[in-house]
Amino acid sequence: MTAKITFDNDQKVFHLTNGSISYLFSVEEGETLSHLYFGKAVKAYHGQLKYPRVDRGFSGNLPGSLDRTYSKDTLPREYSSAGEMDYHEPATIVRQKDGSNALNLKFDSYEVKDGKPALKDLPASYTEDDSEAQTLSVNLKDEKSGLIYTLLYTIFSDFDIIARSVLVKNGGQEAVYLEKVASAQVDFVDRDFDVICLPGAHANERHMQRTPVTFGSQAFESRRGSSSHQMNPFIALVDKKTDEYSGDAYGFELVYSGNHSMALETDQLAQTRVLVGINDYNFSWKLEAGDEFQTPEVLLTYSGEGLNKMSQNFHEVIRERVVRSKFKHQKRPILVNNWEATYFDFDEKKLKPIVDEAKNLGIEMFVLDDGWFGHRNDDNSSLGDWKIFEKKFPKGLGHFADYVHDKGLKFGLWFEPEMISYDSDLYREHPDYLMQVPGRAPSPSRNQYILDLTRPEVVDVMYKQVADILANNGIDYVKWDMNRSLSDIYSVSLPADRQGEVYHRYVLGYYDLMGRLVDQFPDILFEGCSGGGGRFDAGVAYYMPQIWASDNTDAVARLAIQYGTSLAYPPSMMTAHVSAVPNHQTGRKTPFETRGAAAMSAVFGYELDLTKLTDEEKAMVKNQIADYNKVRDLVVNGDFYRLKSPTESNQAAWNFVSKDKKEVFVATFAVLAFAQPYLTKTKLKGLDPEKKYKNEETGEVFYGDELMELGIYDPVVHQDYMAKTYLFKAIN
Ligand code: DGJ
């Protein structure tokens, strides 16, 4: 398939297609862009979808026109603005010198280029070769203000993805204030959708929710300064009958880690508008004459084969063309993290036996979590002071890293570079680095405060501190945490009329800091984290190939979290650990195998005190590692299929299939046990029906179609929280 973008001069229609999907929009009267179609590929467009002309009461018409059948209020739009005869939520609002917010964005020109340009200062999908995609830039101009909106559309040849963003240029003489700039708008006609989103909470992230799209407005947003545990920057619109493997599904995913808004509005004619972009809450960006503003990118996908294909479309593009890290296809080291083993209560002496045991069990990396710096023995101090806590490491951190390396393990380290404690040298020296509104006391959260990353000098200070530790202590891996939401939004470096820029500038500062560090240390594996999965988004994935999916390590709780996360993100991006029981978050006692099966369904590790394991448990760890070794490549690079939803039944199941369809890893889970359980089967997906697959445990052989159509009987076990995994390998 080859991406191709054409403009039909007669009909004035743009057609973006890769032979699998098509996206069509036209230029209508008043030089207004009108959305025509997004869906399965069509060969060409012959005018059949031109929006019918109907006189609608109270939907007015173009200035100077007597044609009452044409209204921007009813026309499906491609990018709307305030101040037009369009009463929906607009894609953009701009406050101008005369106090008005009216724009009239008219089609001016366009350009098609091979490849995909990078977005200034922002993460985005990319191409490695110009032949992989085509990009359309459509310029819309507002004559009075001189503003030029360039709508950017990239269609990929090999992914059913359209990447959209908007570049606003002030070509006028006066400064203006952007009060809202969505990254994309899509208007749908004659659809009766459900909307799927991923709400959650700390330690309870990304639970799939499906509700009807209703008349009026619905919004799925974050106002926390980050993409948040509470509402992920992803939605899908699906037909009522759409399920995992059939029906239309439209996915929208913002490549952004700050405040977002995924908004829907269904109007008087049952037409549904989707707007995706930076949340306009406390957003106002001053654009001086000649300045530009680039919005984040939104990834749009269409699947005519249900939700699973939609997810796979996102998995592919994120894994292949959003993640840049050299580790993206590599087996990630099996780690043990000391957080749930010791919390803050550790020193070198206490950690060494854990390292020894890790070596003994076949674990590949030791990760030192929070508490190794400043004088941090609890969460009240030292954020901002990335210097070794000498009492815990009397001979230096490098000495401890050498110990870990000498055992043949890699060494990982935790940071939280965006934060500051009152009790820190950094605060004592630079109280102004702490983000706060003058004259108001800032709000603590986890006893900590935010560094003002809108200021380049603060980013520099953090860069130097972190880079110094990374360069001098034999660090192989970094866990980058962020343990609170933003508040007290203000920067002393900005004038009053630019305080509405703080939220976005913070994100730009975060990207700058992270970008400089990952570029400087390409051999270090970076893992994102925000109290678990509070910043689990494609923006972070651009810098870090994996993210700690949740602070909740309970295997049963993880089923819904990992299942929901997989709607929008590949398993190669999620990290999951086997932890101790009773579980520290839920108090639940799950079998060791079940904890292993859940964690092996992502990037695998341990988070418990290995020295406290019984001999039997140690043997189980060794077996688990041997099992994971058989599937770890499959989990990172294979195709993922959801089979049973943990939120819809007492069970969960999924399988991974290698690209050549020769290997299949299946994990099934039964939450509660019953005295007389109904017999259930798990039917696999994505196998080659012609291939014969051998069950590596039992030696039994099945055709792919048998495993997919007849399925496997789930085990009947009279115990709660059970799991069963299978590995099948093709023998022909
Ligand atoms: C939150 C993280 O998600 C945990 O894994 C741990 O690193 C703590 N922070 C440390 O403060």
Side-chain angles (χ1 to χ4, degrees):
M1 295 186 289
T2 308
K4 201 167 161 40
I5 299 175
T6 50
F7 182 63
D8 177 337
N9 249 319
D10 298 333
Q11 302 194 84
K12 294 206 177 326
V13 169
F14 289 97
H15 186 183
L16 291 71
T17 187
N18 60 10
S20 175
I21 56 170
S22 281
Y23 189 104
L24 291 156
F25 61 97
S26 61
V27 185
E28 301 288 332
E29 285 101 306
E31 303 304 305
T32 306
L33 294 189
S34 176
H35 183 73
L36 290 173
Y37 175 73
F38 180 29
K40 192 176 161 132
V42 292
K43 283 181 279 303
Y45 171 77
H46 290 100
Q48 63 274 45
L49 263 166
K50 203 172 165 68
Y51 191 74
R53 300 308 199 234
V54 182
D55 181 0
R56 304 282 192 179
F58 288 81
S59 290
N61 316 109
L62 289 186
S65 166
L66 292 178
D67 178 0
R68 291 173 51 160
T69 68
Y70 179 74
S71 174
K72 287 188 183 179
D73 190 36
T74 57
L75 187 77
R77 311 284 306 281
E78 200 56 28
Y79 202 80
S80 58
S81 64
E84 308 178 293
M85 177 60 75
D86 177 340
Y87 295 101
H88 306 79
E89 181 67 29
T92 187
I93 303 173
V94 183
R95 190 68 55 191
Q96 294 149 64
K97 201 181 172 206
D98 62 6
S100 74
N101 69 2
L103 289 185
N104 185 4
L105 294 172
K106 292 184 169 184
F107 173 68
D108 180 69
S109 57
Y110 76 93
E111 191 178 45
V112 175
K113 278 192 175 162
D114 288 340
K116 181 173 192 293
L119 301 190
K120 192 171 174 301
D121 302 331
L122 285 167
S125 59
Y126 59 88
T127 49
E128 284 189 345
D129 189 288
D130 277 356
S131 65
E132 291 179 5
Q134 281 206 320
T135 298
L136 166 68
S137 317
V138 180
N139 295 317
L140 307 178
K141 262 193 187 162
D142 177 64
E143 217 173 295
K144 178 161 183 253
S145 65
L147 286 172
I148 303 161
Y149 279 63
T150 304
L151 310 187
L152 291 154
Y153 300 78
T154 298
I155 181 160
F156 289 87
S157 300
D158 294 333
F159 311 115
D160 286 349
I161 294 284
I162 292 175
R164 284 185 62 179
S165 69
V166 176
L167 177 70
V168 186
K169 180 166 186 190
N170 186 351
Q173 305 298 319
E174 311 284 356
V176 299
Y177 295 88
L178 305 180
E179 293 181 347
K180 175 172 185 171
V181 202
S183 300
Q185 168 176 340
V186 183
D187 285 2
F188 291 93
V189 181
D190 190 24
R191 302 300 294 248
D192 186 12
F193 284 133
D194 283 343
V195 57
I196 294 173
C197 62
L198 294 174
H202 173 231
N204 198 32
E205 297 89 340
R206 294 175 299 283
H207 282 58
M208 178 174 169
Q209 172 186 283
R210 180 172 180 161
T211 49
V213 172
T214 55
F215 282 100
S217 299
Q218 290 161 287
F220 308 92
E221 303 184 318
S222 168
R223 278 180 227 99
R224 292 172 172 270
S226 69
S227 48
S228 85
H229 303 85
Q230 286 73 11
M231 190 61 73
N232 196 262
F234 155 85
I235 55 166
L237 291 181
V238 297
D239 284 335
K240 297 286 176 197
K241 286 189 179 154
T242 296
D243 59 22
E244 282 287 358
Y245 293 97
S246 69
D248 280 358
Y250 294 91
F252 301 81
E253 185 163 323
L254 196 62
V255 187
Y256 188 59
S257 313
N259 285 346
H260 60 82
S261 170
M262 326 287 286
L264 304 177
E265 186 175 356
T266 300
D267 67 11
Q268 53 174 350
L269 302 174
Q271 297 178 177
T272 298
R273 171 168 297 178
V274 185
L275 291 172
V276 178
I278 294 181
N279 197 318
D280 59 0
Y281 170 72
N282 197 359
F283 176 83
S284 171
W285 192 277
K286 186 175 186 184
L287 205 64
E288 298 279 6
D291 278 2
E292 292 183 345
F293 180 84
Q294 172 66 55
T295 73
E297 173 167 295
V298 56
L299 302 172
L300 277 65
T301 191
Y302 163 76
S303 154
E305 297 158 49
L307 282 169
N308 204 80
K309 176 74 168 49
M310 174 202 76
S311 299
Q312 288 186 344
N313 293 346
F314 281 135
H315 294 181
E316 285 290 306
V317 74
I318 289 174
R319 190 169 49 191
E320 303 302 328
R321 291 294 181 268
V322 174
V323 172
R324 297 174 304 159
S325 159
K326 73 173 211 182
F327 296 94
K328 68 175 169 183
H329 293 300
Q330 291 183 18
K331 292 174 184 166
R332 317 285 166 74
I334 299 170
L335 63 82
V336 60
N337 177 304
N338 75 309
W339 179 242
E340 287 197 16
T342 64
Y343 294 101
F344 292 107
D345 181 18
F346 64 82
D347 59 14
E348 177 172 325
K349 221 166 114 203
K350 190 167 174 187
L351 296 176
K352 279 181 173 172
I354 302 181
V355 177
D356 298 346
E357 201 53 64
K359 163 74 183 162
N360 175 37
L361 297 174
I363 290 170
E364 298 160 346
M365 179 158 75
F366 176 82
V367 175
L368 177 56
D369 211 281
D370 193 355
W372 58 266
F373 54 95
H375 57 277
R376 189 156 162 103
N377 277 319
D378 54 34
D379 51 23
N380 290 315
S381 83
S382 303
L383 292 167
D385 295 347
W386 300 102
K387 286 166 239 154
I388 289 122
F389 191 171
E390 282 174 13
K391 236 163 114 188
K392 289 186 179 178
F393 297 96
K395 293 184 183 155
L397 191 64
H399 177 260
F400 179 62
D402 287 347
Y403 183 84
V404 176
H405 287 145
D406 287 348
K407 293 272 165 193
L409 269 65
K410 292 183 185 304
F411 179 55
L413 196 61
W414 179 96
F415 286 91
E416 192 174 4
E418 300 157 72
M419 296 293 148
I420 184 165
S421 306
Y422 271 156
D423 180 5
S424 66
D425 292 345
L426 188 69
Y427 181 73
R428 284 182 280 273
E429 281 161 34
H430 297 284
D432 58 306
Y433 284 5
L434 187 151
M435 201 189 280
Q436 57 188 309
V437 182
R440 296 182 191 276
S443 304
S445 182
R446 206 201 187 201
N447 308 328
Q448 63 192 54
Y449 301 86
I450 318 282
L451 277 172
D452 181 358
L453 292 189
T454 70
R455 295 168 63 180
E457 66 271 32
V458 178
V459 171
D460 279 349
V461 166
M462 277 303 112
Y463 171 77
K464 280 191 197 118
Q465 283 201 31
V466 177
D468 183 48
I469 295 283
L470 297 186
N472 297 310
N473 293 283
I475 312 295
D476 302 299
Y477 155 107
V478 165
K479 177 176 173 188
W480 182 311
D481 208 346
M482 188 231 200
N483 280 299
R484 60 163 294 171
S485 303
L486 268 60
S487 68
D488 308 282
I489 301 306
Y490 191 90
S491 176
V492 290
S493 67
L494 294 171
D497 67 344
R498 283 190 178 269
Q499 292 300 328
E501 300 177 15
V502 169
Y503 269 125
H504 183 57
R505 283 189 186 274
Y506 178 89
V507 180
L508 295 178
Y510 163 59
Y511 288 151
D512 180 28
L513 180 56
M514 203 165 33
R516 284 160 68 183
L517 286 165
V518 301
D519 288 351
Q520 171 87 15
F521 299 97
D523 297 331
I524 292 180
L525 170 62
F526 282 80
E527 175 165 332
C529 175
S530 174
R535 204 160 48 182
F536 201 107
D537 59 68
V540 173
Y542 181 78
Y543 302 94
M544 306 187 183
Q546 59 189 51
I547 303 176
W548 181 224
S550 178
D551 270 353
N552 193 336
T553 56
D554 172 58
V556 172
R558 275 291 185 125
L559 299 179
I561 293 171
Q562 292 175 201
Y563 193 93
T565 306
S566 79
L567 265 193
Y569 306 100
S572 58
M573 220 175 123
M574 303 177 211
T575 55
H577 299 167
V578 173
S579 61
V581 290
N583 178 267
H584 293 196
Q585 293 78 39
T586 63
R588 198 174 354 242
K589 287 185 182 171
T590 53
F592 208 80
E593 293 83 354
T594 303
R595 284 175 266 156
M600 273 185 213
S601 302
V603 176
F604 181 70
Y606 290 88
E607 184 146 346
L608 38 72
D609 189 344
L610 298 172
T611 63
K612 296 203 174 123
L613 295 180
T614 62
D615 286 346
E616 198 191 342
E617 285 171 328
K618 283 179 190 168
M620 285 197 278
V621 171
K622 282 187 177 167
N623 285 338
Q624 238 165 28
I625 290 175
D627 286 347
Y628 188 63
N629 272 325
K630 293 181 196 150
V631 300
R632 61 198 294 190
D633 184 50
L634 194 50
V635 168
V636 170
N637 295 312
D639 292 331
F640 181 72
Y641 295 85
R642 288 181 296 269
L643 306 177
K644 291 183 186 178
S645 163
T647 54
E648 284 167 15
S649 73
N650 185 47
Q651 299 185 338
W654 44 68
N655 69 237
F656 297 81
V657 182
S658 61
K659 290 282 175 200
D660 61 9
K661 297 202 181 281
K662 286 187 175 160
E663 291 189 24
V664 184
F665 172 53
V666 190
T668 67
F669 304 84
V671 179
L672 294 178
F674 296 96
Q676 294 297 347
Y678 300 157
L679 290 176
T680 57
K681 294 175 188 171
T682 298
K683 295 181 180 182
L684 310 192
K685 288 280 182 190
L687 282 61
D688 180 344
E690 306 299 329
K691 281 200 192 317
K692 285 181 181 168
Y693 291 92
K694 186 166 133 202
N695 180 331
E696 290 291 296
E697 189 188 1
T698 63
E700 294 167 288
V701 174
F702 307 92
Y703 273 110
D705 60 0
E706 285 178 89
L707 291 169
M708 292 193 290
E709 305 306 330
L710 279 75
I712 320 164
Y713 272 114
D714 297 313
V716 176
V717 188
H718 290 104
Q719 195 187 328
D720 287 343
Y721 319 132
M722 295 306 286
K724 171 95 187 124
T725 57
Y726 308 82
L727 177 61
F728 292 97
K729 285 195 179 169
I731 54 171
N732 64 330

